[in-house]
């Protein structure tokens, strides 16, 4: 057989091929590896049971990546939230102590709690376009400018937020260039303007009630309802009811780390 075929067969026959593939997929999806770092297999002694089980199933499926992805995303570990286990409101008390950083770290290491991790450049860029609905803004000239700007903006986000080595996979790794791009970038500044057809314009047109608008804004940006404290802050931010106040509020929400991280 050709050398390349022989080399491919030898690589696949090595048990570490399945282990490394499983380790990369798990780390990519959950933000934390079964083994840290995910590819540190040469000096690894006894394999963790989870890594050994998934690697064996991966080999048995003839290295079916779709089956591996399906297994991981349907697992209980993947469904965890970074907020931790849900609290039973009937038994919780106001004096219940919040978990310490050490407890949170242990829970994350055991995959009992999700790790907060930054979005990739492509994910963040797509999220901004989806939330602001900038592609739907009325006006032929504006849409043409958006199409022209999107390719350059994506390259800018990839350069600033790109992380080929996944060095920040296990925690939020925001830095000054990233903050400045979100703060001063043309996409974030222009897309929050309540132009006809924009996401914010849709929210403001959906209701005259301030609380209803705030709830819709939180659902749009964070995919969750606001807390009572956040509702109060929102009411103060848009107290005068002017559109520019709503634009400033939406901008602040997009600039917050919650928007640029995966929970």
């Amino acid at each position: 057989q050709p050398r390349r075929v022989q080399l491919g067969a030898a690589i696949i026959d090595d048990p570490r091929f399945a282990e490394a593939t499983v380790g990369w997929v798990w780390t990519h999806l959950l933000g934390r590896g079964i083994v840290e770092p995910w590819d540190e297999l040469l000096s690894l002694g006894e394999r963790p049971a989870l890594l050994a089980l998934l690697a064996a199933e991966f080999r048995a499926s003839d290295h079916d990546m779709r089956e591996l992805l399906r297994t991981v995303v349907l697992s209980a570990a993947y469904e965890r939230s970074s907020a931790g286990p849900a609290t039973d409101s009937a038994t919780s008390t106001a004096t219940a102590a919040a978990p310490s950083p050490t407890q949170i770290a242990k829970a994350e290491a055991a995959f009992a709690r999700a790790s907060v991790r930054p979005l990739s450049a492509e994910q963040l860029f797509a999220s901004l376009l989806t939330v602001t609905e900038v592609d739907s803004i009325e006006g032929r000239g504006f849409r043409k400018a958006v199409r022209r700007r999107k390719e350059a903006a994506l390259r800018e986000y990839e350069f600033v937020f790109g992380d080929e080595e996944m060095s920040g996979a296990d925690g939020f790794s925001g830095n000054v260039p990233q903050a400045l791009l979100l703060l001063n970038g043309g996409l974030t500044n222009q897309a929050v303007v309540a132009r006809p057809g924009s996401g914010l314009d849709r929210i403001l047109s959906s209701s005259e009630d301030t609380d209803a608008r705030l709830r819709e804004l939180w659902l749009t940006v964070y995919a969750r309802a606001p807390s009572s404290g956040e509702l109060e802050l929102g009411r103060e931010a848009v107290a005068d009811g002017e559109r520019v106040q709503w634009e400033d509020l939406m901008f602040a929400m997009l600039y917050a780390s919650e928007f640029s991280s995966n929970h």
Side-chain angles (χ1 to χ4, degrees):
Q1 290 182 325
R3 294 182 192 177
R4 182 172 295 180
V5 175
Q6 295 183 57
L7 175 61
I11 291 173
I12 292 174
D13 286 342
D14 191 319
R16 289 171 298 185
F17 172 77
E19 292 174 349
T21 306
V22 165
W24 181 86
V25 169
W26 186 278
T27 303
H28 184 72
L29 292 174
L30 278 83
R32 188 183 189 91
I34 301 172
V35 176
E36 287 289 347
W38 65 271
D39 58 351
E40 189 61 46
L41 300 175
L42 290 175
S43 59
L44 191 63
E46 184 179 356
R47 267 47 179 169
L50 175 59
L51 180 64
L53 174 64
L54 290 176
E57 291 184 352
F58 186 52
R59 287 192 295 271
S61 70
D62 195 22
H63 306 96
D64 188 335
M65 285 293 292
R66 291 174 66 88
E67 182 64 27
L68 174 60
L69 288 167
R70 184 183 298 111
T71 300
V72 176
V73 300
L74 292 179
S75 67
Y78 184 76
E79 296 175 0
R80 305 287 190 220
S81 165
S82 61
T87 303
D88 185 353
S89 58
T91 59
S92 64
T93 62
T95 57
S100 67
T102 301
Q103 291 173 320
I104 292 175
K106 287 182 178 179
E108 290 177 349
F111 303 108
R113 187 185 187 115
S115 300
V116 177
R117 53 201 185 277
L119 298 180
S120 69
E122 293 80 4
Q123 291 168 341
L124 179 58
F125 187 76
S127 297
L128 282 168
L129 296 181
T130 301
V131 167
T132 59
E133 299 178 34
V134 69
D135 286 328
S136 302
I137 292 177
E138 297 176 10
R140 183 183 303 174
F142 187 85
R143 285 201 299 270
K144 184 177 180 181
V146 167
R147 287 196 300 270
R148 195 167 52 244
R149 175 66 180 144
K150 273 168 62 176
E151 186 176 346
L154 178 56
R155 287 198 302 269
E156 193 174 27
Y157 272 70
E158 287 175 338
F159 177 77
V160 175
F161 286 89
D163 184 10
E164 295 179 358
E165 297 299 325
M166 296 177 68
S167 60
D170 58 351
F172 184 72
S173 59
N175 56 39
V176 173
Q178 293 173 0
L180 288 175
L181 180 58
L182 286 174
L183 185 62
N184 301 319
L187 180 62
T188 10
N189 281 275
Q190 292 299 317
V192 298
V193 178
R195 295 183 175 89
S198 68
L200 183 56
D201 178 70
R202 174 185 56 79
I203 293 170
L204 297 180
S205 302
S206 65
S207 174
E208 293 294 328
D209 181 68
T210 299
D211 283 6
R213 287 175 168 181
L214 289 171
R215 290 189 182 93
E216 183 65 22
L217 181 61
W218 252 261
L219 284 171
T220 299
V221 178
Y222 294 148
R224 65 171 178 82
S227 65
S228 56
E230 288 170 333
L231 269 179
E232 185 60 36
L233 287 173
R235 294 187 196 110
E236 293 176 7
V238 297
D240 295 335
E242 297 180 5
R243 288 209 160 200
V244 66
Q245 292 181 320
W246 285 96
E247 293 168 357
D248 289 343
L249 175 59
M250 187 177 193
F251 178 85
M253 293 174 69
L254 294 176
Y255 185 61
S257 60
E258 179 173 355
F259 180 73
S260 56
S261 56
N262 187 339
H263 298 73

